[in-house]
Amino acid sequence: MTSPRKHLVKDFNHFITCYVCKGYLIKPTTVTECLHTFCKSCIVQHFEDSNDCPKCGIQVHETNPLEMLRLDNTLEEIIFKLVPGLREKEQQQEIEFWRSRKSKENGEEDGPRSKRSRLDAENDDGGDGDYHRSDPQIAICLDCLRNNSLVEESVVRGLMKKFIRCSTRVTVGTIKKFLSLKLKLPSSYELDVLCNGEIMGKDHTMEFIYMTRWRLRGETDYPMVLEYRPRIDFG
């Protein structure tokens, strides 16, 4: 019996390298019109001068091709697992990039003392930084799903401001936490979040719901509508 063939990373290079820069895909971003994937920085820079896909030449959008881009978080995780040290290298380069930008904006010298002080300041943010500030954003309408048969309807009510904008990487679990905070619900209180009448899992991202539940079902309205209600136990 022959042993299974071991694959090398280079065997997968065709699938995990960028057509534009020829390097490994960093923050892989897919053009939804043709499904070709590039580094996020590469495709965004390309669209500054052209509305066409750099690989197949199809016109992505007449005026704003950036609207047709979606981050592929699953592919990103696969690449990081395939290529040892790539995640750490990119994280370090990103830290150095933002550090150099801060030093230029503040007119600081890039010496050891200033580096240490800036690093300490960054670590004192309290963990409330906007970790998705560079991600594509999506507009969402959060509607309260009313049902007269539910006794708890007075507890779960409509929001004063039901339109929000967030990262496409935000999960349903985060949306539930946001709703609980805004509605001042007890920590033990549970909600269902639905799209087109289907309950969404807590780990589903807004991008996943948009692509598989909203857009693919013929919905063209914008923003995407999510409904919420008290959790119903079908057991």
Side-chain angles (χ1 to χ4, degrees):
M1 182 176 178
T2 59
S3 59
R5 177 175 175 255
K6 292 184 178 180
H7 292 279
L8 302 176
V9 174
K10 66 179 182 180
D11 295 335
F12 302 96
N13 277 352
H14 175 72
F15 305 101
I16 61 176
T17 53
C18 175
Y19 178 83
V20 177
C21 70
K22 311 303 181 186
Y24 289 120
L25 289 164
I26 302 302
K27 293 186 178 179
T29 301
T30 299
V31 180
T32 58
E33 292 303 297
C34 58
L35 300 182
H36 288 134
T37 304
F38 311 91
C39 297
K40 179 181 177 181
S41 59
C42 291
I43 191 62
V44 169
Q45 187 173 1
H46 171 81
F47 281 157
E48 290 180 359
D49 302 316
S50 172
N51 292 342
D52 301 337
C53 170
K55 188 170 184 178
C56 67
I58 187 175
Q59 186 181 62
V60 176
H61 194 278
E62 289 184 0
T63 57
N64 188 9
L66 295 178
E67 290 184 359
M68 313 308 292
L69 297 180
R70 296 292 181 271
L71 282 173
D72 192 334
N73 300 317
T74 302
L75 180 57
E76 181 179 47
E77 287 303 315
I78 291 173
I79 294 172
F80 283 150
K81 289 182 183 298
L82 282 174
V83 185
L86 182 62
R87 185 197 300 269
E88 292 75 14
K89 179 182 177 182
E90 288 305 316
Q91 288 176 342
Q92 184 60 36
Q93 287 183 346
E94 188 169 353
I95 290 172
E96 291 175 357
F97 171 77
W98 287 109
R99 192 177 293 165
S100 65
R101 283 200 59 174
K102 279 191 175 183
S103 65
K104 290 178 182 178
E105 291 172 358
N106 298 332
E108 298 177 1
E109 294 296 328
D110 206 20
R113 182 180 296 273
S114 62
K115 281 187 178 180
R116 172 56 60 186
S117 63
R118 287 197 302 276
L119 188 57
D120 291 341
E122 290 167 6
N123 291 336
D124 289 339
D125 285 343
D128 295 328
D130 182 3
Y131 297 107
H132 299 303
R133 62 179 176 267
S134 61
D135 286 356
Q137 303 288 296
I138 186 171
I140 301 171
C141 174
L142 295 172
D143 262 346
C144 180
L145 186 60
R146 302 190 178 276
N147 188 333
N148 294 331
S149 64
L150 293 177
V151 179
E152 299 166 294
E153 185 169 341
S154 59
V155 178
V156 179
R157 60 192 185 280
L159 295 170
M160 290 287 291
K161 297 180 180 179
K162 62 182 182 178
F163 295 98
I164 65 171
R165 181 177 291 274
C166 63
S167 165
T168 56
R169 298 177 70 173
V170 163
T171 64
V172 170
T174 302
I175 294 295
K176 288 182 178 182
K177 290 179 182 178
F178 171 79
L179 289 168
S180 295
L181 182 66
K182 289 296 183 182
L183 299 174
K184 299 180 179 179
L185 300 176
S187 58
S188 59
Y189 200 93
E190 296 192 39
L191 296 169
D192 284 333
V193 172
L194 304 88
C195 183
N196 286 330
E198 181 181 351
I199 296 176
M200 297 290 100
K202 65 182 180 66
D203 295 323
H204 287 171
T205 64
M206 297 300 101
E207 178 182 15
F208 176 82
I209 295 173
Y210 177 81
M211 298 298 293
T212 64
R213 299 299 190 277
W214 186 252
R215 188 180 181 195
L216 291 187
R217 293 195 178 184
E219 298 287 354
T220 56
D221 293 340
Y222 194 76
M224 179 172 72
V225 177
L226 297 181
E227 297 174 313
Y228 61 92
R229 69 184 183 197
R231 182 174 181 179
I232 298 177
D233 188 357
F234 295 99

